[in-house]
mmCIF file of all heavy atoms in Angstrom:
data_model
loop_
_atom_site.group_PDB
_atom_site.id
_atom_site.type_symbol
_atom_site.label_atom_id
_atom_site.label_comp_id
_atom_site.label_asym_id
_atom_site.label_seq_id
_atom_site.Cartn_x
_atom_site.Cartn_y
_atom_site.Cartn_z
ATOM 1 N N LEU A 18 -1.207 9.273 -5.312
ATOM 2 C CA LEU A 18 -1.319 10.291 -4.222
ATOM 3 C C LEU A 18 -1.031 11.696 -4.836
ATOM 4 O O LEU A 18 -0.082 11.904 -5.498
ATOM 5 C CB LEU A 18 -0.375 10.010 -3.038
ATOM 6 C CG LEU A 18 -0.407 10.856 -1.830
ATOM 7 C CD1 LEU A 18 -1.863 10.684 -1.221
ATOM 8 C CD2 LEU A 18 0.653 10.642 -0.858
ATOM 9 N N TYR A 19 -1.977 12.555 -4.588
ATOM 10 C CA TYR A 19 -1.992 13.920 -5.147
ATOM 11 C C TYR A 19 -1.762 13.987 -6.641
ATOM 12 O O TYR A 19 -1.081 14.881 -7.280
ATOM 13 C CB TYR A 19 -0.843 14.778 -4.456
ATOM 14 C CG TYR A 19 -1.088 14.888 -2.904
ATOM 15 C CD1 TYR A 19 -0.067 14.348 -2.088
ATOM 16 C CD2 TYR A 19 -2.260 15.362 -2.331
ATOM 17 C CE1 TYR A 19 -0.233 14.291 -0.760
ATOM 18 C CE2 TYR A 19 -2.429 15.341 -1.006
ATOM 19 C CZ TYR A 19 -1.396 14.813 -0.190
ATOM 20 O OH TYR A 19 -1.481 14.861 1.150
ATOM 21 N N GLY A 20 -2.143 12.818 -7.365
ATOM 22 C CA GLY A 20 -2.127 12.900 -8.791
ATOM 23 C C GLY A 20 -0.727 12.395 -9.232
ATOM 24 O O GLY A 20 -0.375 12.436 -10.516
ATOM 25 N N LYS A 21 0.166 11.983 -8.323
ATOM 26 C CA LYS A 21 1.548 11.732 -8.657
ATOM 27 C C LYS A 21 1.703 10.118 -8.621
ATOM 28 O O LYS A 21 1.027 9.470 -7.990
ATOM 29 C CB LYS A 21 2.563 12.381 -7.711
ATOM 30 C CG LYS A 21 2.402 13.851 -7.656
ATOM 31 C CD LYS A 21 2.704 14.505 -8.940
ATOM 32 C CE LYS A 21 2.677 16.050 -8.874
ATOM 33 N NZ LYS A 21 2.865 16.724 -10.107
ATOM 34 N N PRO A 22 2.811 9.686 -9.350
ATOM 35 C CA PRO A 22 3.040 8.113 -9.430
ATOM 36 C C PRO A 22 3.323 7.743 -8.038
ATOM 37 O O PRO A 22 4.149 8.336 -7.286
ATOM 38 C CB PRO A 22 4.418 8.078 -10.282
ATOM 39 C CG PRO A 22 4.312 9.308 -11.141
ATOM 40 C CD PRO A 22 3.729 10.369 -10.346
ATOM 41 N N THR A 23 2.584 6.588 -7.641
ATOM 42 C CA THR A 23 2.662 6.051 -6.173
ATOM 43 C C THR A 23 2.654 4.518 -6.344
ATOM 44 O O THR A 23 1.975 4.017 -7.015
ATOM 45 C CB THR A 23 1.422 6.502 -5.492
ATOM 46 O OG1 THR A 23 1.315 8.004 -5.575
ATOM 47 C CG2 THR A 23 1.384 6.072 -3.994
ATOM 48 N N THR A 24 3.430 3.945 -5.446
ATOM 49 C CA THR A 24 3.455 2.567 -5.260
ATOM 50 C C THR A 24 3.003 2.250 -3.852
ATOM 51 O O THR A 24 3.500 2.784 -2.884
ATOM 52 C CB THR A 24 4.883 1.950 -5.528
ATOM 53 O OG1 THR A 24 5.212 2.173 -6.883
ATOM 54 C CG2 THR A 24 4.799 0.319 -5.237
ATOM 55 N N ILE A 25 2.073 1.306 -3.746
ATOM 56 C CA ILE A 25 1.474 0.958 -2.493
ATOM 57 C C ILE A 25 1.808 -0.522 -2.237
ATOM 58 O O ILE A 25 1.436 -1.402 -3.006
ATOM 59 C CB ILE A 25 -0.098 1.123 -2.388
ATOM 60 C CG1 ILE A 25 -0.316 2.652 -2.835
ATOM 61 C CG2 ILE A 25 -0.720 0.939 -1.070
ATOM 62 C CD1 ILE A 25 -1.793 2.802 -3.372
ATOM 63 N N ASN A 26 2.301 -0.851 -0.978
ATOM 64 C CA ASN A 26 2.449 -2.304 -0.623
ATOM 65 C C ASN A 26 1.971 -2.445 0.710
ATOM 66 O O ASN A 26 1.794 -1.432 1.642
ATOM 67 C CB ASN A 26 3.951 -2.573 -0.752
ATOM 68 C CG ASN A 26 4.468 -3.022 -2.128
ATOM 69 O OD1 ASN A 26 5.236 -2.418 -2.716
ATOM 70 N ND2 ASN A 26 3.815 -4.092 -2.554
ATOM 71 N N ASN A 27 1.681 -3.692 1.122
ATOM 72 C CA ASN A 27 1.243 -3.903 2.458
ATOM 73 C C ASN A 27 2.504 -4.057 3.544
ATOM 74 O O ASN A 27 3.664 -4.080 3.244
ATOM 75 C CB ASN A 27 0.643 -5.438 2.374
ATOM 76 C CG ASN A 27 0.674 -6.212 3.591
ATOM 77 O OD1 ASN A 27 1.526 -6.942 3.922
ATOM 78 N ND2 ASN A 27 -0.425 -5.997 4.478
ATOM 79 N N THR A 28 2.216 -3.955 4.695
ATOM 80 C CA THR A 28 3.180 -3.958 5.772
ATOM 81 C C THR A 28 4.145 -5.071 5.843
ATOM 82 O O THR A 28 5.392 -4.881 5.847
ATOM 83 C CB THR A 28 2.451 -4.061 7.246
ATOM 84 O OG1 THR A 28 1.380 -2.879 7.229
ATOM 85 C CG2 THR A 28 3.451 -3.639 8.340
ATOM 86 N N GLU A 29 3.509 -6.278 5.606
ATOM 87 C CA GLU A 29 4.435 -7.416 5.652
ATOM 88 C C GLU A 29 5.361 -7.490 4.507
ATOM 89 O O GLU A 29 6.418 -7.917 4.500
ATOM 90 C CB GLU A 29 3.469 -8.779 5.713
ATOM 91 C CG GLU A 29 4.363 -10.063 5.816
ATOM 92 C CD GLU A 29 3.453 -11.274 5.785
ATOM 93 O OE1 GLU A 29 2.189 -11.070 5.940
ATOM 94 O OE2 GLU A 29 3.960 -12.396 5.615
ATOM 95 N N SER A 30 4.850 -6.948 3.339
ATOM 96 C CA SER A 30 5.605 -6.995 2.146
ATOM 97 C C SER A 30 6.892 -5.950 2.274
ATOM 98 O O SER A 30 8.100 -6.524 2.010
ATOM 99 C CB SER A 30 4.835 -6.442 0.940
ATOM 100 O OG SER A 30 3.671 -7.152 0.628
ATOM 101 N N PHE A 31 6.638 -4.855 2.786
ATOM 102 C CA PHE A 31 7.817 -3.934 3.030
ATOM 103 C C PHE A 31 8.674 -4.449 4.092
ATOM 104 O O PHE A 31 10.093 -4.430 3.969
ATOM 105 C CB PHE A 31 7.318 -2.619 3.608
ATOM 106 C CG PHE A 31 6.898 -1.676 2.386
ATOM 107 C CD1 PHE A 31 5.615 -1.156 2.513
ATOM 108 C CD2 PHE A 31 7.751 -1.389 1.521
ATOM 109 C CE1 PHE A 31 5.146 -0.273 1.316
ATOM 110 C CE2 PHE A 31 7.250 -0.507 0.397
ATOM 111 C CZ PHE A 31 6.013 0.126 0.355
ATOM 112 N N ALA A 32 8.180 -5.139 5.126
ATOM 113 C CA ALA A 32 8.957 -5.679 6.273
ATOM 114 C C ALA A 32 9.801 -6.874 5.701
ATOM 115 O O ALA A 32 10.933 -7.167 6.396
ATOM 116 C CB ALA A 32 8.183 -6.178 7.379
ATOM 117 N N SER A 33 9.531 -7.563 4.737
ATOM 118 C CA SER A 33 10.262 -8.706 4.116
ATOM 119 C C SER A 33 11.417 -8.319 3.358
ATOM 120 O O SER A 33 12.416 -8.984 3.160
ATOM 121 C CB SER A 33 9.340 -9.578 3.417
ATOM 122 O OG SER A 33 8.197 -9.991 4.077
ATOM 123 N N VAL A 34 11.295 -7.077 2.755
ATOM 124 C CA VAL A 34 12.415 -6.596 1.761
ATOM 125 C C VAL A 34 13.883 -6.531 2.345
ATOM 126 O O VAL A 34 14.718 -7.097 1.645
ATOM 127 C CB VAL A 34 12.010 -5.313 1.219
ATOM 128 C CG1 VAL A 34 13.091 -4.613 0.322
ATOM 129 C CG2 VAL A 34 10.855 -5.384 0.239
ATOM 130 N N PRO A 35 14.114 -5.921 3.508
ATOM 131 C CA PRO A 35 15.476 -5.793 4.018
ATOM 132 C C PRO A 35 16.076 -7.255 4.209
ATOM 133 O O PRO A 35 17.250 -7.440 3.806
ATOM 134 C CB PRO A 35 15.296 -5.244 5.349
ATOM 135 C CG PRO A 35 14.086 -4.371 5.323
ATOM 136 C CD PRO A 35 13.111 -5.195 4.382
ATOM 137 N N GLU A 36 15.381 -8.247 4.721
ATOM 138 C CA GLU A 36 15.821 -9.470 4.823
ATOM 139 C C GLU A 36 16.129 -10.270 3.588
ATOM 140 O O GLU A 36 17.149 -10.991 3.558
ATOM 141 C CB GLU A 36 15.000 -10.262 5.847
ATOM 142 C CG GLU A 36 15.554 -11.532 6.480
ATOM 143 C CD GLU A 36 16.621 -11.148 7.610
ATOM 144 O OE1 GLU A 36 16.671 -9.987 8.053
ATOM 145 O OE2 GLU A 36 17.254 -12.127 8.019
ATOM 146 N N ILE A 37 15.248 -10.048 2.649
ATOM 147 C CA ILE A 37 15.625 -10.599 1.235
ATOM 148 C C ILE A 37 16.825 -10.088 0.745
ATOM 149 O O ILE A 37 17.652 -10.897 0.279
ATOM 150 C CB ILE A 37 14.309 -10.321 0.282
ATOM 151 C CG1 ILE A 37 13.102 -10.988 0.767
ATOM 152 C CG2 ILE A 37 14.710 -10.494 -1.040
ATOM 153 C CD1 ILE A 37 11.864 -10.592 -0.042
ATOM 154 N N LEU A 38 17.083 -8.754 0.837
ATOM 155 C CA LEU A 38 18.326 -8.293 0.186
ATOM 156 C C LEU A 38 19.529 -8.515 1.026
ATOM 157 O O LEU A 38 20.608 -8.565 0.475
ATOM 158 C CB LEU A 38 18.093 -6.660 0.035
ATOM 159 C CG LEU A 38 16.924 -6.276 -0.932
ATOM 160 C CD1 LEU A 38 16.718 -4.770 -0.905
ATOM 161 C CD2 LEU A 38 17.176 -6.830 -2.278
ATOM 162 N N SER A 39 19.317 -8.752 2.362
ATOM 163 C CA SER A 39 20.441 -8.990 3.197
ATOM 164 C C SER A 39 21.012 -10.465 2.951
ATOM 165 O O SER A 39 22.165 -10.619 2.836
ATOM 166 C CB SER A 39 20.067 -8.848 4.543
ATOM 167 O OG SER A 39 21.095 -9.173 5.450
ATOM 168 N N ARG A 40 20.044 -11.379 2.690
ATOM 169 C CA ARG A 40 20.336 -12.794 2.612
ATOM 170 C C ARG A 40 20.175 -13.371 1.287
ATOM 171 O O ARG A 40 20.524 -14.525 1.054
ATOM 172 C CB ARG A 40 19.489 -13.564 3.680
ATOM 173 C CG ARG A 40 19.625 -12.983 5.234
ATOM 174 C CD ARG A 40 18.940 -13.858 6.226
ATOM 175 N NE ARG A 40 19.547 -15.197 6.423
ATOM 176 C CZ ARG A 40 19.220 -15.943 7.400
ATOM 177 N NH1 ARG A 40 18.266 -15.623 8.262
ATOM 178 N NH2 ARG A 40 19.876 -17.217 7.408
ATOM 179 N N GLY A 41 19.638 -12.623 0.332
ATOM 180 C CA GLY A 41 19.560 -13.039 -0.967
ATOM 181 C C GLY A 41 18.258 -13.510 -1.465
ATOM 182 O O GLY A 41 17.520 -14.179 -0.659
ATOM 183 N N GLY A 42 17.889 -13.155 -2.630
ATOM 184 C CA GLY A 42 16.567 -13.595 -3.176
ATOM 185 C C GLY A 42 16.181 -15.142 -3.220
ATOM 186 O O GLY A 42 15.228 -15.522 -2.908
ATOM 187 N N LYS A 43 17.396 -15.808 -3.578
ATOM 188 C CA LYS A 43 17.283 -17.295 -3.607
ATOM 189 C C LYS A 43 17.076 -17.876 -2.346
ATOM 190 O O LYS A 43 16.237 -18.827 -2.153
ATOM 191 C CB LYS A 43 18.506 -17.903 -4.268
ATOM 192 C CG LYS A 43 18.447 -19.428 -4.437
ATOM 193 C CD LYS A 43 19.647 -19.860 -5.185
ATOM 194 C CE LYS A 43 19.518 -21.375 -5.546
ATOM 195 N NZ LYS A 43 19.075 -22.170 -4.345
ATOM 196 N N TRP A 44 17.783 -17.329 -1.329
ATOM 197 C CA TRP A 44 17.571 -17.845 0.144
ATOM 198 C C TRP A 44 16.019 -17.675 0.492
ATOM 199 O O TRP A 44 15.431 -18.609 0.973
ATOM 200 C CB TRP A 44 18.342 -16.976 1.135
ATOM 201 C CG TRP A 44 17.986 -17.190 2.594
ATOM 202 C CD1 TRP A 44 18.366 -18.326 3.284
ATOM 203 C CD2 TRP A 44 17.117 -16.486 3.350
ATOM 204 N NE1 TRP A 44 17.643 -18.161 4.537
ATOM 205 C CE2 TRP A 44 17.088 -16.957 4.556
ATOM 206 C CE3 TRP A 44 16.443 -15.205 3.082
ATOM 207 C CZ2 TRP A 44 16.274 -16.434 5.648
ATOM 208 C CZ3 TRP A 44 15.594 -14.664 4.171
ATOM 209 C CH2 TRP A 44 15.578 -15.301 5.322
ATOM 210 N N PHE A 45 15.384 -16.579 0.184
ATOM 211 C CA PHE A 45 13.980 -16.359 0.542
ATOM 212 C C PHE A 45 13.103 -17.335 -0.310
ATOM 213 O O PHE A 45 12.228 -17.835 0.308
ATOM 214 C CB PHE A 45 13.566 -14.844 0.193
ATOM 215 C CG PHE A 45 12.279 -14.508 0.692
ATOM 216 C CD1 PHE A 45 12.037 -14.263 1.991
ATOM 217 C CD2 PHE A 45 11.254 -14.424 -0.165
ATOM 218 C CE1 PHE A 45 10.799 -13.805 2.444
ATOM 219 C CE2 PHE A 45 9.928 -14.090 0.294
ATOM 220 C CZ PHE A 45 9.760 -13.784 1.642
ATOM 221 N N ALA A 46 13.304 -17.387 -1.515
ATOM 222 C CA ALA A 46 12.523 -18.209 -2.460
ATOM 223 C C ALA A 46 12.622 -19.698 -1.992
ATOM 224 O O ALA A 46 11.647 -20.427 -1.937
ATOM 225 C CB ALA A 46 13.053 -18.239 -3.803
ATOM 226 N N ASP A 47 13.884 -20.150 -1.522
ATOM 227 C CA ASP A 47 13.963 -21.629 -1.001
ATOM 228 C C ASP A 47 13.257 -21.850 0.291
ATOM 229 O O ASP A 47 13.056 -22.969 0.575
ATOM 230 C CB ASP A 47 15.486 -21.877 -0.961
ATOM 231 C CG ASP A 47 16.137 -21.958 -2.328
ATOM 232 O OD1 ASP A 47 15.410 -22.047 -3.372
ATOM 233 O OD2 ASP A 47 17.439 -21.881 -2.361
#
């Protein structure tokens, strides 16, 4: 964006992040 470094993710991807970090990556993977 505007020639600057940018990371783009989907809605569901971002929405999953807080729960993953709250309950742990292994919990989510399992």
